[in-house]
Amino acid sequence: MITFEQAIAAVLRAAKSLPPAPTPVEQAVGRALAEDVRSAVEMPPFDKSAVDGYAVRAAEVSPGARLRCRGLVQAGQSYKGRLKPGDCVKVMTGAPVPAGADAVVMVEETAENGGLVEFSRTMRSANIARRGEDIKKGQLILRRGTVITISHIAALAAAGRGRVKTGALPSVALVNTGGEIVPAGRPLGKNRIYNSNGPMLAAMLRTDGINAAPLIVPDDAARLRAALAKALESDIVLVSGGVSMGDYDLVPGLLKELGVKKIFHTVRVRPGKPMFFGLKGKKLVFGIPGNPVANFMAYLAYVRPAIRKMAGRPDYAPLFLEGACEVKFDPRTPRRAMVLSTVRAAADFSLTPVANNGSADILALAAANGFTMVPEGGALRKGEKTKFISWL
Ligand code: AMP
Ligand code: MG
């Protein structure tokens, strides 16, 4: 009987990455990039006003100074001609700054009267986002192998990409065996139980981007053979139940008839000792014992890592982190035990600001995994505690 580690290693050895495919960026979260993505454009693509205000020559602005307003530019349009001395042009946030202007005064610091604009203070900042200051044309946005997260999408889209080449997700067929299994929502009937594994595995698959509808099949050789033959059209077959030593545990025998090569059938772990894994060509077949906890554990230990490896993700290995036991764990089994537990994160989080060019800086967003809360008008000392929000 092989060890838990050997079983995981055998599954990962068998899982081969699928050919990459183009994916719409809004569907790419969780996918591994199969290309270096470079920006097709500069960001911003022109000198852009960062505020609603008046484009000016900064040297002409002082408290009480007046300039004649020569026009209004909204975002998406531009001012024809060059700003002349003594003039200003009203510009909206996101509009190109007219040639000849070197600053934009916020509208809040002005008063307009009969086409003359009076300023209440000297210039403090230019309020112009310079062409290319966030992203240069051809700049590397995300490297091949990056697992795309929600904070990467804006950067990919701003770089001009509607689709990116990513690792492809395997198709998965989900089969729940057992004459006692009934889908939730139906009357239960005598001697029956509701299908827990089907919805649970379908939900777990969805967290990995895969849609699969559970199919319930009774322990009847002909019907089960037909269902498994059909399931073998998918890249991964996920069968629950019917893999143990009972008289009606027909799955391993039928899989053999269907040309599936057994890699292992028992693992020295609890839960999940009867645990069939086989291959038909590049197709992976998992036969998990019916107990829902065994299904849950098998998904985390074998199925998700296999899916991620097939999808080209570098972070495919099951994530085993270290923690400390609060009480004695005594599972009383000679096998390796995986004991259902509660986990508390006790260690502190450390927060560091990401250098950025302001709220249009999507590369800073892509480099970040949280927002740290700083109180009104305040700063935070090193070591000070504050709130943060994270999405990873
Ligand atoms: P088996 O591996 O088929 O011998 O099933 C082991 C136990 O898990 C039995 O008590 C089954 O009734 C139960 N079981 C099997 N499949 C499911 C399922 N899809 N949902 C909930 N329980 C199940
Ligand atoms: Mg069964």
Side-chain angles (χ1 to χ4, degrees):
M1 209 192 310
I2 62 172
T3 65
F4 190 36
E5 284 74 16
Q6 286 167 334
I8 293 169
V11 169
L12 289 177
R13 247 194 325 276
K16 305 275 191 259
S17 61
L18 300 166
T23 306
V25 290
E26 64 272 29
Q27 291 170 27
V29 171
R31 306 291 194 96
L33 269 180
E35 58 169 333
D36 284 344
V37 175
R38 295 180 178 279
S39 184
V41 295
E42 290 177 299
M43 265 308 270
F46 47 86
D47 288 350
K48 193 175 83 166
S49 180
V51 296
D52 296 318
Y54 294 91
V56 297
R57 297 160 182 273
E60 296 183 334
V61 173
S62 57
R66 289 180 186 176
L67 296 173
R68 180 155 299 280
C69 185
R70 294 295 181 184
L72 168 64
V73 189
Q74 69 184 105
Q77 310 210 319
S78 65
Y79 181 70
K80 312 277 174 272
R82 220 184 140 74
L83 189 75
K84 296 197 179 64
D87 289 349
C88 64
V89 171
K90 194 169 195 184
V91 294
M92 300 293 104
T93 306
V97 175
D102 57 8
V104 181
V105 180
M106 290 173 75
V107 75
E108 293 87 335
E109 298 173 357
T110 66
E112 184 167 356
N113 200 339
L116 274 183
V117 181
E118 185 174 327
F119 300 91
S120 56
R121 56 190 313 160
T122 46
M123 290 297 316
R124 283 179 304 169
S125 88
N127 295 325
I128 296 174
R130 295 289 171 190
R131 175 178 164 173
E133 82 175 19
D134 290 338
I135 302 177
K136 310 275 175 277
K137 189 170 176 179
Q139 185 179 338
L140 184 65
I141 300 297
L142 291 175
R143 204 173 283 287
R144 182 193 184 98
T146 303
V147 178
I148 298 169
T149 72
I150 51 175
S151 61
H152 292 143
I153 303 302
L156 293 172
R161 302 299 297 268
R163 291 165 174 263
V164 285
K165 209 162 103 181
T166 69
L169 292 173
S171 54
V172 179
L174 198 47
V175 179
N176 302 122
T177 73
E180 77 279 30
I181 309 303
V182 175
R186 298 263 184 86
L188 189 57
K190 221 174 161 202
N191 307 325
R192 305 292 177 91
I193 61 168
Y194 281 125
N195 185 11
S196 316
N197 296 333
M200 179 181 74
L201 292 171
M204 293 178 100
L205 285 163
R206 283 183 76 96
T207 66
D208 287 306
I210 294 172
N211 288 317
L215 178 70
I216 297 173
V217 186
D219 298 309
D220 166 88
R223 291 176 67 180
L224 204 45
R225 186 187 292 106
L228 292 173
K230 178 93 180 106
L232 280 164
E233 291 170 9
S234 297
D235 299 312
I236 293 179
V237 178
L238 205 47
V239 192
S240 83
V243 297
S244 310
M245 297 299 145
D247 291 5
Y248 295 96
D249 289 333
L250 307 171
V251 171
L254 290 172
L255 288 172
K256 188 174 179 191
E257 281 178 38
L258 291 166
V260 175
K261 190 177 132 221
K262 182 182 89 178
I263 305 297
F264 58 78
H265 190 176
T266 41
V267 183
R268 219 151 62 216
V269 64
R270 193 181 83 184
K273 176 174 149 199
M275 170 72 214
F276 180 94
F277 176 63
L279 287 175
K280 184 172 185 183
K282 289 183 178 161
K283 296 173 192 293
L284 272 51
V285 182
F286 298 91
I288 311 170
N291 176 342
V293 180
N295 277 259
F296 194 88
M297 215 275 286
Y299 191 88
L300 297 183
Y302 312 114
V303 182
R304 171 173 287 159
I307 289 170
R308 290 187 170 184
K309 184 152 185 232
M310 291 170 93
R313 281 179 63 153
D315 59 341
Y316 57 79
L319 189 62
F320 292 106
L321 301 175
E322 245 176 37
C325 296
E326 294 224 29
V327 296
K328 185 172 165 194
F329 278 60
D330 186 12
R332 294 167 195 273
T333 168
R335 278 178 269 151
R336 170 74 54 80
M338 296 297 287
V339 180
L340 279 177
S341 306
T342 57
V343 178
R344 268 182 326 113
D348 210 354
F349 290 98
S350 100
L351 306 165
T352 309
V354 175
N356 72 86
N357 278 331
S359 58
D361 193 343
I362 48 225
L363 285 190
L365 175 61
N369 67 348
F371 290 100
T372 295
M373 189 180 288
V374 180
E376 287 78 355
L380 295 166
R381 288 185 311 277
K382 183 176 174 179
E384 203 166 338
K385 303 273 188 209
T386 188
K387 292 184 182 162
F388 75 98
I389 184 166
S390 174
W391 52 92
L392 292 181

